Amino acid sequence: AQSVTQLDSHVSVSEGTPVLLRCNYSSSYSPSLFWYVQHPNKGLQLLLKYTSAATLVKGINGFEAEFKKSETSFHLTKPSAHMSDAAEYFCVVTSYGGATNKLIFGTGTLLAVQP
Amino acid sequence: GAGVSQSPSNKVTEKGKDVELRCDPISGHTALYWYRQSLGQGLEFLIYFQGNSAPDKSGLPSDRFSAERTGGSVSTLTIQRTQQEDSAVYLCASSLAVTSSGNTIYFGEGSWLTVV
């Protein structure tokens, strides 16, 4: 079975400092991994995805993530946080059951950005 | 349309009433999903439609929940005899046909359901 674990439920950083949101996955085959962001009262927006191409994936708004198979990790990073980055972030793995391409969500990490 | 469209955006209903939530996927997307996001409980898969295939209903929490997709496009999620624990955000998503390459799944902004 596939699963993801987001290691921090809350992360607080100061504006202009680096962001690290941690995610570990479990999968019985080569997974597809995603990071989604959800701003307050908004839908989910795709930040980036890994689908067995380059292990370092660049996404929108300066975010990137590195797929590390040996560590079963897919941590999200950004060199310099902006106030507008404050949101909830979800690490996601796909689960192929028959013909269904389900997304299995982590429990989310709430990012706060202090001025 | 440009994105996944859901309606209503907010719904307050009395316990025991039925509700219908609508989803209009991105044009050309054959796969459609319903997820539920409850406070403090993350996102929960409900049901999946792919073209003319039988839907995957494995995530529906009870027989009070049902969904249909007419003409391979618009979908309606119906909750009968609503209970307070049904209060949540119901998210619809769509994607191109399923492949092993991890097609991007695009989400709507959700329908916020409150059962009082």
Side-chain angles (χ1 to χ4, degrees), chain A residues 44-81:
Chain A
L44 289 156
Q45 180 184 21
L46 179 70
L47 275 180
L48 49 81
K49 68 177 181 180
Y50 165 78
T51 56
S52 74
T55 56
L56 181 62
V57 181
K58 294 187 183 299
I60 62 171
N61 301 335
F63 284 95
E64 61 182 38
E66 186 171 7
F67 174 73
K68 292 187 177 180
K69 187 175 181 180
S70 60
E71 299 176 10
T72 61
S73 69
F74 191 58
H75 301 334
L76 182 70
T77 60
K78 182 173 180 177
S80 176

Coordinates of all heavy atoms in Angstrom, one line a residue, chain A residues 44-81:
Chain A
L44 N -7.1 23.3 -3.9 CA -5.8 22.8 -4.0 C -5.1 23.2 -5.3 O -5.7 23.0 -6.3 CB -5.8 21.3 -3.8 CG -6.1 20.8 -2.4 CD1 -6.7 19.4 -2.5 CD2 -4.9 20.8 -1.5
Q45 N -3.9 23.6 -5.2 CA -3.1 24.0 -6.4 C -1.8 23.2 -6.4 O -1.1 23.1 -5.4 CB -2.8 25.5 -6.3 CG -2.0 26.0 -7.5 CD -1.6 27.5 -7.4 OE1 -1.5 28.0 -6.3 NE2 -1.3 28.1 -8.5
L46 N -1.6 22.6 -7.6 CA -0.4 21.8 -7.8 C 0.9 22.7 -7.8 O 1.0 23.7 -8.5 CB -0.4 21.1 -9.1 CG 0.8 20.2 -9.4 CD1 0.9 19.0 -8.4 CD2 0.8 19.7 -10.8
L47 N 1.8 22.4 -6.9 CA 3.1 23.1 -6.8 C 4.1 22.4 -7.8 O 4.8 23.1 -8.5 CB 3.7 23.0 -5.4 CG 3.3 24.1 -4.4 CD1 4.0 23.8 -3.1 CD2 3.6 25.5 -4.9
L48 N 4.2 21.1 -7.7 CA 5.2 20.4 -8.5 C 4.9 18.9 -8.5 O 4.1 18.5 -7.6 CB 6.6 20.6 -8.1 CG 6.9 20.5 -6.6 CD1 7.2 19.0 -6.2 CD2 8.2 21.3 -6.2
K49 N 5.5 18.1 -9.4 CA 5.3 16.7 -9.4 C 6.5 16.0 -9.9 O 7.3 16.5 -10.7 CB 4.1 16.3 -10.2 CG 4.2 16.5 -11.7 CD 3.0 16.0 -12.5 CE 3.2 16.2 -14.0 NZ 2.0 15.6 -14.7
Y50 N 6.7 14.8 -9.3 CA 7.8 13.9 -9.7 C 7.2 12.6 -10.4 O 6.3 12.0 -9.8 CB 8.6 13.5 -8.5 CG 9.5 12.3 -8.8 CD1 10.7 12.5 -9.5 CD2 9.2 11.0 -8.4 CE1 11.5 11.4 -9.8 CE2 9.9 9.9 -8.7 CZ 11.1 10.1 -9.4 OH 11.9 9.0 -9.8
T51 N 7.6 12.3 -11.6 CA 7.1 11.1 -12.3 C 8.2 10.4 -12.9 O 8.1 10.0 -14.1 CB 6.1 11.6 -13.3 OG1 6.7 12.5 -14.2 CG2 4.8 12.2 -12.7
S52 N 9.3 10.1 -12.2 CA 10.4 9.2 -12.6 C 11.3 9.8 -13.6 O 12.0 9.1 -14.3 CB 9.9 7.8 -13.1 OG 9.3 7.9 -14.4
A53 N 11.3 11.1 -13.8 CA 12.2 11.8 -14.7 C 13.3 12.3 -13.8 O 13.9 11.6 -12.9 CB 11.5 12.9 -15.5
A54 N 13.7 13.6 -13.9 CA 14.7 14.2 -13.0 C 14.3 14.1 -11.6 O 13.2 14.3 -11.2 CB 14.9 15.6 -13.4
T55 N 15.3 13.8 -10.7 CA 15.0 13.7 -9.3 C 14.8 15.0 -8.6 O 14.2 15.1 -7.6 CB 16.1 12.9 -8.6 OG1 17.3 13.5 -8.8 CG2 16.1 11.4 -9.1
L56 N 15.4 16.1 -9.2 CA 15.2 17.4 -8.6 C 14.1 18.1 -9.5 O 14.3 18.3 -10.6 CB 16.4 18.2 -8.6 CG 16.3 19.6 -8.0 CD1 16.0 19.6 -6.6 CD2 17.7 20.4 -8.2
V57 N 13.0 18.4 -8.8 CA 11.8 18.9 -9.5 C 11.6 20.4 -9.1 O 11.6 20.7 -7.9 CB 10.6 18.1 -9.2 CG1 9.4 18.6 -10.0 CG2 10.8 16.6 -9.5
K58 N 11.5 21.2 -10.1 CA 11.2 22.6 -9.9 C 9.7 22.9 -10.1 O 9.1 22.4 -11.1 CB 12.1 23.5 -10.8 CG 13.6 23.4 -10.4 CD 14.4 24.4 -11.2 CE 15.9 24.2 -11.0 NZ 16.2 24.4 -9.5
G59 N 9.2 23.7 -9.2 CA 7.8 24.0 -9.3 C 7.5 25.5 -9.4 O 8.4 26.3 -9.7
I60 N 6.3 25.8 -9.1 CA 5.9 27.2 -9.2 C 6.3 28.0 -8.0 O 6.6 27.4 -6.9 CB 4.4 27.4 -9.4 CG1 3.6 26.8 -8.2 CG2 4.0 26.8 -10.7 CD1 2.1 27.1 -8.3
N61 N 6.4 29.3 -8.1 CA 6.7 30.2 -6.9 C 8.0 29.9 -6.2 O 8.2 30.2 -5.0 CB 5.5 30.1 -5.9 CG 4.2 30.5 -6.5 OD1 4.1 31.3 -7.5 ND2 3.1 30.0 -5.9
G62 N 9.0 29.4 -7.0 CA 10.3 29.2 -6.4 C 10.5 27.9 -5.6 O 11.6 27.7 -5.0
F63 N 9.5 27.1 -5.5 CA 9.6 25.8 -4.8 C 10.3 24.7 -5.6 O 10.1 24.7 -6.8 CB 8.2 25.4 -4.3 CG 7.6 26.1 -3.2 CD1 6.8 27.2 -3.4 CD2 7.9 25.8 -1.9 CE1 6.2 27.9 -2.3 CE2 7.4 26.5 -0.8 CZ 6.6 27.5 -1.0
E64 N 10.9 23.9 -4.9 CA 11.5 22.7 -5.5 C 11.5 21.5 -4.5 O 11.4 21.7 -3.3 CB 12.9 22.9 -6.1 CG 13.9 23.3 -5.1 CD 15.3 23.5 -5.8 OE1 15.3 24.1 -6.9 OE2 16.3 23.1 -5.3
A65 N 11.6 20.3 -5.1 CA 11.6 19.1 -4.2 C 12.6 18.1 -4.9 O 12.7 18.0 -6.1 CB 10.2 18.5 -4.1
E66 N 13.2 17.3 -4.0 CA 14.1 16.3 -4.5 C 13.7 14.9 -4.1 O 13.4 14.7 -2.9 CB 15.5 16.6 -3.9 CG 16.6 15.6 -4.5 CD 18.0 16.0 -4.1 OE1 18.2 16.9 -3.3 OE2 18.9 15.3 -4.7
F67 N 13.5 14.1 -5.1 CA 13.2 12.7 -4.8 C 14.4 11.9 -4.5 O 15.4 11.8 -5.2 CB 12.5 12.1 -6.1 CG 12.2 10.6 -6.0 CD1 11.2 10.2 -5.2 CD2 13.0 9.7 -6.7 CE1 10.9 8.8 -5.1 CE2 12.7 8.3 -6.6 CZ 11.7 7.9 -5.8
K68 N 14.4 11.3 -3.2 CA 15.5 10.5 -2.8 C 15.0 9.1 -2.5 O 14.5 8.9 -1.4 CB 16.2 11.2 -1.6 CG 16.9 12.5 -1.9 CD 17.7 13.0 -0.6 CE 18.4 14.2 -0.9 NZ 19.2 14.7 0.2
K69 N 15.3 8.2 -3.4 CA 14.8 6.9 -3.2 C 15.4 6.2 -2.0 O 14.7 5.4 -1.3 CB 15.0 6.1 -4.5 CG 14.4 4.7 -4.5 CD 14.6 4.0 -5.9 CE 13.9 2.6 -5.9 NZ 14.1 1.9 -7.2
S70 N 16.7 6.4 -1.8 CA 17.3 5.7 -0.7 C 16.8 6.1 0.7 O 16.8 5.4 1.6 CB 18.8 6.0 -0.7 OG 19.1 7.4 -0.6
E71 N 16.3 7.3 0.7 CA 15.7 7.8 2.0 C 14.2 7.8 1.9 O 13.5 8.3 2.9 CB 16.2 9.3 2.2 CG 17.7 9.4 2.4 CD 18.2 10.8 2.5 OE1 17.3 11.7 2.7 OE2 19.4 11.0 2.4
T72 N 13.6 7.4 0.9 CA 12.1 7.5 0.6 C 11.6 8.8 1.0 O 10.6 8.9 1.8 CB 11.4 6.3 1.3 OG1 11.6 6.4 2.8 CG2 11.8 5.0 0.9
S73 N 12.2 9.9 0.6 CA 11.8 11.2 0.9 C 11.5 12.1 -0.3 O 12.0 11.8 -1.4 CB 12.9 11.9 1.8 OG 14.0 12.2 1.0
F74 N 10.7 13.1 -0.1 CA 10.4 14.0 -1.2 C 10.1 15.4 -0.5 O 9.0 15.9 -0.5 CB 9.2 13.5 -1.9 CG 8.9 14.3 -3.2 CD1 9.8 14.4 -4.2 CD2 7.6 14.9 -3.4 CE1 9.5 15.1 -5.4 CE2 7.3 15.6 -4.6 CZ 8.3 15.7 -5.6
H75 N 11.2 15.9 0.1 CA 11.0 17.2 0.9 C 10.9 18.4 0.0 O 11.5 18.5 -1.1 CB 12.3 17.4 1.8 CG 12.5 16.3 2.8 ND1 11.5 15.4 3.2 CD2 13.6 15.8 3.4 CE1 12.0 14.6 4.1 NE2 13.3 14.8 4.2
L76 N 10.1 19.3 0.4 CA 9.8 20.6 -0.3 C 10.7 21.7 0.2 O 10.7 21.8 1.5 CB 8.3 20.9 -0.2 CG 7.9 22.2 -1.0 CD1 7.9 21.9 -2.5 CD2 6.5 22.5 -0.5
T77 N 11.3 22.4 -0.6 CA 12.2 23.5 -0.2 C 11.9 24.8 -1.0 O 11.4 24.7 -2.1 CB 13.7 23.2 -0.3 OG1 14.0 22.9 -1.6 CG2 14.0 22.0 0.6
K78 N 12.3 25.9 -0.4 CA 12.3 27.2 -1.0 C 13.4 28.0 -0.4 O 13.5 28.1 0.8 CB 11.0 27.9 -0.9 CG 10.9 29.2 -1.7 CD 9.5 29.8 -1.7 CE 9.5 31.1 -2.5 NZ 8.1 31.7 -2.6
P79 N 14.3 28.7 -1.2 CA 15.4 29.4 -0.6 C 15.0 30.5 0.3 O 15.7 30.8 1.3 CB 16.2 29.9 -1.8 CG 15.7 29.1 -2.9 CD 14.3 28.7 -2.6
S80 N 13.9 31.2 0.0 CA 13.6 32.4 0.7 C 12.0 32.6 0.8 O 11.4 32.7 -0.3 CB 14.2 33.7 0.0 OG 13.7 34.9 0.6
A81 N 11.5 32.5 2.0 CA 10.1 32.5 2.2 C 9.5 33.9 1.9 O 10.1 34.9 2.3 CB 9.7 32.0 3.6

